[in-house]
Amino acid sequence: MLTRLALPALVAALLAAGPATAQMARTESAKEGGPGKAVPLSKADVQLSFAPVVKRAAPSVVNVYASHVDKRSSARSSAMEEFMRRFFGEPEGGRGPRGERAQKSLGSGVLVDADGLVITNNHVIDNMNEVRIALADRREFEATIVMRDTRTDLAVLKLKDVPKGLVPMPFGDADALEVGDFVMAIGNPFGVGQTVTQGIVSALARTQVGSADYQYFIQTDAAINPGNSGGALVDLRGQLVGINTAIYSQSGGSHGIGFAIPVGMVKAVVDAARDGASIVRRPWLGARIQSVTPDIADSMGLDHPTGVLVASLQAKSPADEAGLKRGDLILTVDGQEVADPEAFGYRFALKGVQGQTRFGILRGTNRQTVTVKLAPAPETRPRDALKVKTRSPFLGATLVNTSPAVAEEMQVDFPADGVAVMAVDENSVAARVGLQKGDLIVAVNGVPMAATKDLDRVTRNSLNAWEVTINRNGEVITSVFGG
């Protein structure tokens, strides 16, 4: 079970090895005058400590206390609520002394700027409206939410009163990580206070984790538990290489399978916040891609499945203008290999919306390079968001007009005209009848839905029955609901 972390001991197991093994472990970086990588050669090496790295990195890691305070009159509380308040205090999520009902969340964050910018996970502050930051020296400050990026599960906060002497953590290079490298996770597990755990990089480019739209994670066996969300994964230089975001667990605790968002994506979100943007703008390709199966790889003369196959293109899109064709196999993005659609999505998203990038492709038996313009998806028509409030199967749903921008944002293929489900409230009528984010409303009672104004007009009527046709991931479904 994959668990997002909403809220334990330091283990350092270094084994000595012989000179032959040590020689094999050394990397090319040593030949270039770099620090190199090698197993320990002596007892003194085994007794080395990670303390200097922790001293550099720990001051940059903060605790994030988020809450959602809903002020209500205590006179409206039921007899049972009043009983619970008076005798048990309702410390977590209960009604406060002035009739305030609060939900609370605990997580971690990383100072990335001397001006008080903090990066954390979006799920730590999801639905929260008040945030406090506790520094490593226990000073606490109120913070504002600068940006929420649900697609990466990242959020940027800013201290309201910025103290002097903040120690931002420098960004490292996640692309330089190798499986087996030592890393440390720093955060606030279970709310016990700042804690450091150590492990290795277990795997790179992990996909199908399910905690964000961009599936490209660093896997580590450093102990990560609830409360570590938003905390730092650091290398042995004390540099940030990832933001801890999820664990695989059947009990809610660490089983040695943790996942971190690579620092490349973190930096893209932070840079957007520094530029004053409210959202992260990402490049639009205008093409639908698919995985390469073993059969497809064999038919194209490949030794193994790799790359992504261009399945279709939109007219006048960057992919179309670059000369990409249906059936092209994209192998690299600016020289970086892409093994599957998740890896491609990650690499392409990091390129921004200005300039151009180069794809290495295989067309037939010929390898070549194409240059793709970097630009955001266009909003070809206003979204005209509609929040249905009348009694109908759409009650509680938010619907918008389709466009390339909406399609890119929701990671779904949409036609030029249509009405898409942008969000569905929990426990709403729309949720109960099964509407989902990303559904395309094709028709209602046989009437085509080309825009939200069409749906608004239909839902103004009180009907005994509703025939709704939707397109969900290419499958057309028609259902009838009572009025």
Side-chain angles (χ1 to χ4, degrees), residues 398-473:
T398 301
L399 304 110
V400 297
N401 291 331
T402 57
S403 69
V406 170
E408 194 278 333
E409 182 179 324
M410 299 176 68
Q411 296 291 281
V412 178
D413 290 327
F414 288 135
D417 295 329
V419 178
V421 179
M422 176 64 74
V424 179
D425 294 345
E426 288 188 38
N427 302 318
S428 65
V429 172
R432 289 198 296 271
V433 302
L435 285 181
Q436 299 177 10
K437 178 180 178 180
D439 285 347
L440 179 71
I441 309 302
V442 177
V444 177
N445 293 331
V447 179
M449 296 289 108
T452 55
K453 63 181 181 181
D454 299 326
L455 189 62
D456 184 38
R457 183 170 55 252
V458 170
T459 55
R460 290 178 182 274
N461 302 320
S462 178
L463 303 175
N464 294 325
W466 298 82
E467 183 186 86
V468 180
T469 301
I470 66 171
N471 184 321
R472 179 176 295 166
N473 297 322

Side-chain angles (χ1 to χ4, degrees), residues 350-365:
L350 294 184
K351 296 304 174 181
V353 293
Q354 293 183 339
Q356 57 189 27
T357 187
R358 295 168 69 84
F359 291 173
I361 70 169
L362 178 65
R363 178 175 294 165
T365 58

Side-chain angles (χ1 to χ4, degrees), residues 161-207:
D161 298 315
V162 182
K164 294 182 179 180
L166 290 179
V167 183
M169 185 177 292
F171 291 126
D173 183 4
D175 288 336
L177 289 177
E178 296 180 291
V179 174
D181 282 351
F182 282 116
V183 287
M184 286 177 288
I186 309 177
N188 185 8
F190 297 112
V192 301
Q194 190 176 91
T195 302
V196 181
T197 55
Q198 172 267 327
I200 64 169
V201 174
S202 304
L204 296 167
R206 280 296 193 215
T207 60

Side-chain angles (χ1 to χ4, degrees), residues 171-248:
F171 291 126
D173 183 4
D175 288 336
L177 289 177
E178 296 180 291
V179 174
D181 282 351
F182 282 116
V183 287
M184 286 177 288
I186 309 177
N188 185 8
F190 297 112
V192 301
Q194 190 176 91
T195 302
V196 181
T197 55
Q198 172 267 327
I200 64 169
V201 174
S202 304
L204 296 167
R206 280 296 193 215
T207 60
Q208 307 303 321
V209 172
S211 66
D213 284 354
Y214 290 100
Q215 300 288 302
Y216 198 84
F217 295 90
I218 302 165
Q219 182 182 328
T220 178
D221 68 346
I224 297 174
N225 287 291
N228 274 112
S229 265
L233 190 71
V234 302
D235 61 18
L236 293 191
R237 296 178 179 82
Q239 297 178 331
L240 184 70
V241 292
I243 292 294
N244 301 318
T245 189
I247 59 174
Y248 183 85

